[in-house]
Amino acid sequence: MTLAKLSIGGLADLSGCKYINGYFPGCSFLDPRGKYALDYYQKIMKAGGFDLETTMMIGDEPMRDSIPAMNAGMRWGVNIDRQQKACYIEKDSILYINSFDVLIPMLEKA
């Protein structure tokens, strides 16, 4: 499902994404609270063996996606809001974008 969502935005296709090394849907850890569990993002970091400095959360609900991920120690958060007028706005290390088209060139530079 995650790849399907990212493919709609042009960031991936159903076989994968060259920018993303791992993805975890809310049901990944068999916790009925899913991504609302207080330790969800810590579990992601441990399960994936990810580096906090290079890991980003991509979501669409800042209070439930990027902010908890940043509180868990991730350096980057990205939230997409297709209704946002500006292409991107950065606030408190969270990048608010209106299209994945904005994000792709940034990922290619990294």
Side-chain angles (χ1 to χ4, degrees):
M1 181 56 113
T2 300
L3 285 175
K5 287 181 179 179
L6 292 173
S7 69
I8 291 169
L11 195 57
D13 60 31
L14 295 179
S15 63
C17 174
K18 66 181 180 178
Y19 310 108
I20 298 174
N21 294 328
Y23 40 86
F24 291 83
C27 61
S28 293
F29 304 107
L30 303 177
D31 185 330
R33 297 170 295 171
K35 70 178 183 178
Y36 305 108
L38 295 177
D39 60 347
Y40 177 70
Y41 293 99
Q42 290 89 343
K43 286 180 179 177
I44 288 174
M45 299 306 294
K46 183 177 179 181
F50 300 127
D51 175 11
L52 289 169
E53 285 293 310
T54 60
T55 301
M56 76 170 58
M57 167 52 175
I58 300 174
D60 59 358
E61 298 177 331
M63 296 303 292
R64 295 184 173 133
D65 292 327
S66 290
I67 293 172
M70 306 278 292
N71 289 339
M74 287 185 198
R75 183 172 177 195
W76 306 103
V78 177
N79 272 277
I80 188 163
D81 178 357
R82 298 191 189 289
Q83 304 304 314
Q84 177 177 293
K85 291 190 189 325
C87 292
Y88 68 91
I89 300 167
E90 185 176 346
K91 182 179 176 187
D92 300 326
S93 296
I94 299 174
L95 184 62
Y96 296 88
I97 61 174
N98 65 4
S99 169
F100 284 130
D101 293 338
V102 175
L103 186 59
I104 293 170
M106 293 177 178
L107 292 171
E108 289 177 344
K109 287 181 185 179

